[in-house]
Amino acid sequence: MSLPTESSPLLENGNGHHSPKPFASRVLDLFKAPGQPSWLKSYNFFFFGSWFNLFLLFVPLSATAHYLNWDAGLRFIFSFIAIMPLASLLGTATEQLSLELGQTLSGLLNASFGNAVEIIVGVTALMQGQVRIVQTSLLGSILSNLLLVLGCSFLAGGLKFPESNFQVTAAQASSSLMTLSCITLVIPAAYHSAKSHAGGVDNTTLALISGMDFIYDGSDLENIYADGLKFISRGTAILLLIVYIAYLYFQLRSHAFLFTAEEDEEPEQAEMNTVSAGFALLLVTVVTSFCADYLVASIEETADRYNIPKAFIGLILLPIVANAAEHVTSVWMALKGKMELTIGICVGSSIQISTFVVPLLVIVGWITHHDLTLFFADFETIVLFVSVLLVNFLIQDGKSNYMEGLMLVTLYLVIALAFWVS
């Protein structure tokens, strides 16, 4: 009997070569999902796994109200409520896919679909020319995560535990990136303010010196400043996307140990097979895009008829739709003492919006000739800056309590009051 060599087959009845399965068989195996939950079990969990999905009844109501041209308030409310369970289902499908795809692909998937509602609403509003709604909704999502969701989580956790601890280095790295993205929004506002004031003085002086008998309206200079803002915004958007990719590598690869919480529980088991989760994600994304279209189309009339400031709708109401699922999850994690996960949900989601969603929409607007810049109103820029500043102060010690949560929620309510009368 000859001794085995490196070329010897591993099995007695093998010859060292395995003929691949036919393509049709491999596709069939993919859909059968051997070793994974069945399609019936997958969709049973997806649609009936939460009582919150009862609000899906508002999806057909939203479409009916839109196509029958019901009152603007009803159209807005139905679409508003319909998107909330859809946002939750998007999160569920993304999470189930992440369990099977590994850490790197999970990170990319969460980057793409973690804020899918914001992207869908933003693109829809952008295509309808509602640039202010796009800007205020994105800013509102950042503020909602940083102040309202994180504040409620600190408050809930502080009421159960005297003090909660979390990893300082990871939290500071995330907050530093959040600060960078905030500064990139301050620069266009500073540029516009400086150029506008300088342009006004120079034109007045020029008119006095030359003895002109007409008032120069400065429209040419405004066009020049607008082109400058577009150039700054588009260049900054590209740089922020590069920084976000580097942050994903930092978080998932090179410094993953900083973002890994100690877990005593068993790894979570998938409730859906990979293909069914992918189809569910695609289906819910399409349905959400329609509901977002109905919602955005009703904003203008709703704001006019019911005297609701559009800035309040964009900054306060729309983020409630997108962040409802995250809000519940974050507070629940805080109550279980998992503050690292809470920080990851709140600050991480804000980073995704500011360094991925906002630059993405700027580039989409660039491609589709719907100009979107990073120039926000001075008041909105100041609000974002002080909010990020407060969050940085509160998380730098790696500890949280209910008083810090109360501070964050209070600031959010003050901002809401200010935008109600804006």
Side-chain angles (χ1 to χ4, degrees):
M1 181 177 180
S2 60
L3 295 175
T5 64
E6 292 182 358
S7 59
S8 301
L10 296 177
L11 301 177
E12 293 183 0
N13 60 345
N15 57 2
H17 301 283
H18 301 278
S19 58
K21 284 186 176 182
F23 177 75
S25 298
R26 282 181 285 164
V27 171
L28 189 61
D29 286 343
L30 182 65
F31 278 87
K32 285 183 176 179
Q36 298 184 39
S38 66
W39 282 70
L40 181 61
K41 182 179 179 182
S42 297
Y43 283 118
N44 183 64
F45 165 78
F46 187 68
F47 288 109
F48 303 105
S50 171
W51 63 266
F52 195 60
N53 292 343
L54 287 173
F55 289 105
L56 288 172
L57 294 172
F58 283 90
V59 172
L61 278 175
S62 171
T64 303
H66 176 77
Y67 287 110
L68 295 182
N69 198 27
W70 290 358
D71 179 76
L74 288 177
R75 284 184 276 134
F76 179 83
I77 292 173
F78 289 164
S79 301
F80 184 90
I81 298 176
I83 291 179
M84 295 175 70
L86 291 173
S88 176
L89 289 178
L90 280 171
T92 300
T94 304
E95 179 185 4
Q96 291 300 312
L97 271 177
S98 300
L99 294 176
E100 299 292 337
L101 295 179
Q103 190 179 37
T104 302
L105 287 177
S106 296
L108 295 175
L109 191 67
N110 285 320
S112 302
F113 289 95
N115 290 288
V117 174
E118 285 91 343
I119 296 175
I120 293 170
V121 172
V123 171
T124 302
L126 191 61
M127 294 300 104
Q128 296 184 18
Q130 300 272 10
V131 175
R132 287 293 297 148
I133 290 296
V134 177
Q135 290 185 322
T136 53
S137 65
L138 293 175
L139 178 64
S141 293
I142 296 172
L143 295 177
S144 175
N145 280 300
L146 286 181
L147 300 179
L148 181 63
V149 181
L150 185 61
C152 288
S153 300
F154 279 1
L155 189 59
L159 293 176
K160 185 173 182 179
F161 307 102
E163 195 171 67
S164 299
N165 300 315
F166 49 87
Q167 227 286 345
V168 182
T169 307
Q172 288 183 338
S174 299
S175 64
S176 297
L177 182 54
M178 189 66 239
T179 305
L180 170 65
S181 62
C182 173
I183 293 173
T184 62
L185 296 182
V186 173
I187 291 175
Y191 169 83
H192 182 271
S193 178
K195 290 297 182 181
S196 296
H197 288 98
V201 172
D202 290 344
N203 284 315
T204 303
T205 305
L206 179 62
L208 290 173
I209 293 174
S210 59
M212 295 178 182
D213 57 355
F214 62 92
I215 299 176
Y216 180 68
D217 62 4
S219 58
D220 290 339
L221 282 177
E222 284 298 322
N223 290 333
I224 294 173
Y225 301 154
D227 290 339
L229 283 173
K230 292 177 191 176
F231 182 80
I232 293 173
S233 299
R234 292 165 182 173
T236 303
I238 294 172
L239 292 173
L240 283 177
L241 287 175
I242 294 172
V243 170
Y244 184 66
I245 293 172
Y247 175 70
L248 284 180
Y249 180 79
F250 179 85
Q251 186 180 33
L252 300 175
R253 285 289 186 182
S254 65
H255 289 70
F257 60 91
L258 294 177
F259 298 87
T260 303
E262 295 183 3
E263 294 286 347
D264 297 328
E265 301 177 1
E266 297 181 358
E268 186 177 353
Q269 297 296 319
E271 300 286 349
M272 300 179 69
N273 66 66
T274 306
V275 181
S276 66
F279 274 112
L281 185 61
L282 180 62
L283 173 65
V284 176
T285 301
V286 172
V287 175
T288 305
S289 66
F290 280 101
C291 289
D293 184 63
Y294 307 150
L295 179 68
V296 173
S298 66
I299 288 176
E300 187 97 34
E301 189 178 345
T302 301
D304 293 339
R305 179 171 295 184
Y306 296 98
N307 296 319
I308 304 175
K310 288 177 67 176
F312 183 85
I313 292 176
L315 195 91
I316 304 299
L317 296 183
L318 293 185
I320 291 177
V321 172
N323 296 329
E326 289 176 344
H327 198 153
V328 174
T329 303
S330 179
V331 171
W332 182 248
M333 290 298 104
L335 287 172
K336 295 172 70 174
K338 299 179 179 180
M339 201 54 69
E340 282 92 355
L341 292 177
T342 294
I343 298 289
I345 292 171
C346 300
V347 180
S349 182
S350 296
I351 289 174
Q352 281 187 353
I353 295 169
S354 58
T355 60
F356 175 71
V357 179
V358 174
L360 177 66
L361 290 178
V362 170
I363 293 174
V364 169
W366 184 9
I367 294 171
T368 60
H369 304 290
H370 293 82
D371 294 328
L372 175 67
T373 69
L374 297 179
F375 168 55
F376 289 73
D378 292 343
F379 177 58
E380 295 164 5
T381 306
I382 293 171
V383 163
L384 176 62
F385 184 79
V386 298
S387 300
V388 172
L389 195 64
L390 178 60
V391 172
N392 280 335
F393 283 148
L394 294 183
I395 69 174
Q396 64 183 358
D397 61 349
K399 300 176 182 179
S400 69
N401 52 59
Y402 75 87
M403 195 63 204
E404 293 182 347
L406 185 60
M407 294 178 194
L408 293 172
V409 174
T410 300
L411 178 57
Y412 185 79
L413 294 176
V414 171
I415 292 172
L417 288 174
F419 275 91
W420 177 258
V421 298
S422 63

